[in-house]
Amino acid sequence: MNPFRISSFFVLLYNLTKIFFMQRSFVKSAMNSGLIMGVIFSVNFLLSVSRITALMLITYVIAIFIVITMYRMAVRFRDTECEGSITYGRAFLYILSTFFYAALISTVVKYIYFQFINPSYLETMFQESMKLMEKLKLPMTSVSADQMESMLKPVNYSFIYIWMNIIFGGLVGLIMAGFIKKEKSIFDEKGEIEN
């Protein structure tokens, strides 16, 4: 058998194994970061529904903290899991995945809050929305009122938050991935070729 084919097979096997373990570390890292971000999202949500002005103002500080924390997590992922280099697309996907896992965790907290801790919150929000519509003299049919009431059910409203967090993560990712990306040095590539 040709020795070149044998060595090519082992190189291919090595590269496939490396890709497999990189994917596992990608998901694991995104889930771990998502857990941390999910806790921060949940705290931010609980402060925002408190109706205490000082606590509601803290939510803006936490929003900035979320962006800074995500940046640090993405840099750590790049430097530890990706050996110091990462493409724009992979950085974007990592940030989006982290926000997705965080959204899932915080949605559970939101559902528990709306369903068990403060079940009247969404009903009050619906009543306030209806009063505002009347005050602004906007046309409101029974169908649109029913749709609004349906959206303000605990499950539906919690799922709306998932999409809001993912869209926010996508926007953050589009910008932040440009700062996170780091190409391999030509000297690193040369060293791999020689080995």
Side-chain angles (χ1 to χ4, degrees):
M1 189 163 205
N2 187 347
F4 178 72
R5 282 189 171 176
I6 294 172
S7 66
S8 297
F9 172 76
F10 283 114
V11 168
L12 177 65
L13 186 62
Y14 169 76
N15 287 333
L16 288 174
T17 305
K18 188 175 178 182
I19 289 169
F20 173 74
F21 283 110
M22 284 180 71
Q23 289 299 342
R24 285 183 61 199
S25 69
F26 176 89
V27 172
K28 184 179 177 185
S29 183
M31 288 177 85
N32 288 337
S33 296
L35 175 63
I36 294 166
M37 293 295 277
V39 170
I40 297 170
F41 282 10
S42 299
V43 169
N44 198 26
F45 165 74
L46 292 172
L47 291 175
S48 71
V49 295
S50 68
R51 300 204 185 249
I52 299 171
T53 307
L55 294 178
M56 291 174 74
L57 290 175
I58 292 173
T59 62
Y60 295 110
V61 175
I62 292 175
I64 294 167
F65 180 71
I66 287 170
V67 173
I68 293 168
T69 303
M70 184 68 251
Y71 176 80
R72 294 182 63 118
M73 288 177 179
V75 167
R76 188 186 70 218
F77 172 74
R78 177 195 70 198
D79 294 342
T80 58
E81 303 291 331
C82 298
E83 300 171 357
S85 65
I86 192 169
T87 62
Y88 177 86
R90 190 164 173 84
F92 172 75
L93 189 61
Y94 177 77
I95 294 165
L96 189 63
S97 298
T98 300
F99 270 83
F100 171 73
Y101 293 122
L104 291 178
I105 291 165
S106 67
T107 297
V108 171
V109 172
K110 290 174 180 86
Y111 176 76
I112 290 169
Y113 180 82
F114 294 138
Q115 187 69 36
F116 303 109
I117 297 172
N118 190 357
S120 64
Y121 182 85
L122 293 177
E123 178 62 32
T124 304
M125 183 185 284
F126 174 73
Q127 297 301 330
E128 289 174 1
S129 299
M130 294 304 289
K131 287 177 187 173
L132 182 65
M133 298 289 267
E134 287 176 18
K135 191 175 186 179
L136 296 174
K137 296 184 178 166
L138 295 172
M140 191 66 156
T141 64
S142 63
V143 173
S144 55
D146 289 342
Q147 287 175 341
M148 183 184 290
E149 189 174 17
S150 173
M151 279 179 28
L152 293 175
K153 297 284 183 210
V155 172
N156 297 340
Y157 198 69
S158 298
F159 277 113
I160 290 170
Y161 267 102
I162 287 179
W163 290 109
M164 288 171 53
N165 288 334
I166 291 172
I167 291 169
F168 178 62
L171 294 173
V172 168
L174 285 172
I175 298 166
M176 192 178 289
F179 295 101
I180 302 297
K181 78 173 184 136
K182 186 176 181 184
E183 301 297 327
K184 277 191 176 180
S185 164
I186 57 169
F187 299 111
D188 291 342
E189 291 173 8
K190 186 178 178 184
E192 284 182 7
I193 293 168
E194 289 174 357
N195 291 335

